[in-house]
Amino acid sequence: MTLTVRAPAKINLHLGVGAPREDGFHPLTSVYQAVGLYDDLTVRDSDGWSVDVTVADWMDRDHVPLAGDNIVDRAAALLAAHHGTAMLGDVHIEKAIPVAGGMAGGSADAAAALVALDRLWEAGTSDDDLLALAAQLGSDVPFALVGGSALGTGRGEIVQPVEDAGTWWWVLVPSPIGLSTPEIYRHFDRLSPEAPSTPPMPEELLAALANGDADALAAALHNDLQPAALDLRPDLARLIEAGEAAGALRGVVTGSGPTCVFLHDSADAARATAGELGAKHDVVLVTNGAVAGAHTVSYV
Ligand code: C5P
């Protein structure tokens, strides 16, 4: 059997971050949106276990973790242990989600691996169990399973779909140099000693999403990690300014950065901004959301 599961990148429309918990993680109130930029993970029957990775032509192969320290190995080991089965399969990952970009590319791979291996091993894992295994693998992995637009609470792993009446057009500008998520959270702690224990609910943003109102959504986009990311990478502030000057309704850092995302109310408007930003940035992508979570795209 050979099957391919596709999993989307996420952006954060809202990322509210609180003071660190006892376990070191930060309480989050996050609004995620899955966007049309994907990693594809193909699994085949095998007598052993292997993982290999190819990357989109615009990505730097050197920045992708190799088999062995890949989150896909951890996902497979966890699923195999859950069912008491052997960890067998040849896995091929085709990456197009920027690595260390704040877009949950590793989490997408983990979610895709859970869905694909569950099917390859005919394990019949329940949705609840898949979500619980996903949460053990990383805070963003459950969302990569669910997709769409969703509210994330806890450390981000408790995911609940939210109403979304819009088609949102995004220009994404990844950076050739990634940012370390733990480092950004540590810098947030230094910059925000008064952070609350529970970050507040982004009511205006949720209403804008439900109403499909692009101007209201633009005004409500917010990321508590952005000051930390801009402090470590002042070039991102200039990029956001340039995107907004080029016509974006709004630009923000997504997740822990450094990818910046720019909202538009039409594909044409997004393409116009991308054209201008493309003069100075090697990689400028146009996509839309919300799209589905990890799903099977081919099966033979
Ligand atoms: O859960 P995940 O493995 O994606 O988290 C990566 C790192 O990001 C954690 O080790 C932690 O430093 C930071 N993090 C955090 N609070 C969260 C999510 C992630 O501090 N809610």
Side-chain angles (χ1 to χ4, degrees):
M1 187 196 294
T2 300
L3 70 108
T4 300
V5 172
R6 174 167 290 177
K10 64 90 180 152
I11 60 178
N12 296 89
L13 308 180
H14 176 86
L15 185 53
V17 182
R21 313 187 304 199
E22 279 188 358
D23 64 3
F25 283 92
H26 293 71
L28 302 183
T29 303
S30 165
V31 181
Y32 298 111
Q33 184 167 94
V35 296
L37 177 66
Y38 302 96
D39 283 359
D40 281 355
L41 184 140
T42 299
V43 294
R44 280 187 190 84
D45 290 311
S46 169
D47 296 333
W49 174 254
S50 71
V51 179
D52 73 71
V53 184
T54 55
V55 303
D57 52 7
W58 50 266
M59 285 176 74
D60 187 348
R61 179 72 183 79
D62 295 344
H63 292 147
V64 180
L66 295 169
D69 62 353
N70 197 295
I71 193 169
V72 168
D73 292 84
R74 290 203 289 121
L78 200 62
L79 187 69
H82 181 73
H83 292 288
T85 56
M87 183 172 141
L88 299 176
D90 288 334
V91 180
H92 174 72
I93 306 167
E94 223 176 298
K95 284 200 77 66
I97 304 175
V99 174
M103 301 196 74
S107 302
D109 298 346
L114 288 177
V115 171
L117 294 171
D118 176 61
R119 193 98 183 251
L120 186 76
W121 298 341
E122 297 177 356
T125 318
S126 70
D127 287 349
D128 281 351
D129 282 357
L130 271 187
L131 284 167
L133 295 172
Q136 289 182 52
L137 290 164
S139 307
D140 294 332
V141 182
F143 175 70
L145 286 175
V146 170
S149 295
L151 182 68
T153 52
R155 57 177 234 273
E157 89 285 17
I158 304 167
V159 174
Q160 193 186 328
V162 296
E163 201 180 333
D164 181 351
T167 296
W168 314 100
W169 287 92
W170 299 98
V171 171
L172 313 178
V173 186
S175 167
I177 307 152
L179 272 175
S180 148
T181 300
E183 195 181 330
I184 290 293
Y185 274 103
R186 279 196 296 274
H187 200 48
F188 167 85
D189 292 338
R190 285 191 287 269
L191 295 179
S192 314
E194 307 285 310
S197 55
T198 308
M201 204 50 77
E203 305 291 355
E204 284 174 18
L205 182 130
L206 292 171
L209 258 188
N211 294 331
D213 183 337
D215 289 322
L217 186 71
L221 293 174
H222 177 79
N223 182 355
D224 275 346
L225 295 180
Q226 179 161 313
L230 296 188
D231 212 31
L232 298 179
R233 288 282 304 275
D235 58 305
L236 300 180
R238 292 191 289 276
L239 167 59
I240 289 172
E241 255 175 52
E244 291 179 347
L249 297 175
R250 186 85 193 286
V252 285
V253 172
T254 193
S256 54
T259 305
C260 291
V261 303
F262 297 90
L263 178 63
H264 298 78
D265 57 10
S266 72
D268 284 347
R271 285 189 199 109
T273 299
E276 282 204 33
L277 291 178
K280 276 204 174 161
H281 298 269
D282 287 346
V283 182
V284 179
L285 308 167
V286 176
T287 187
N288 65 353
V291 301
H295 56 284
T296 304
V297 289
S298 85
Y299 181 88
V300 284

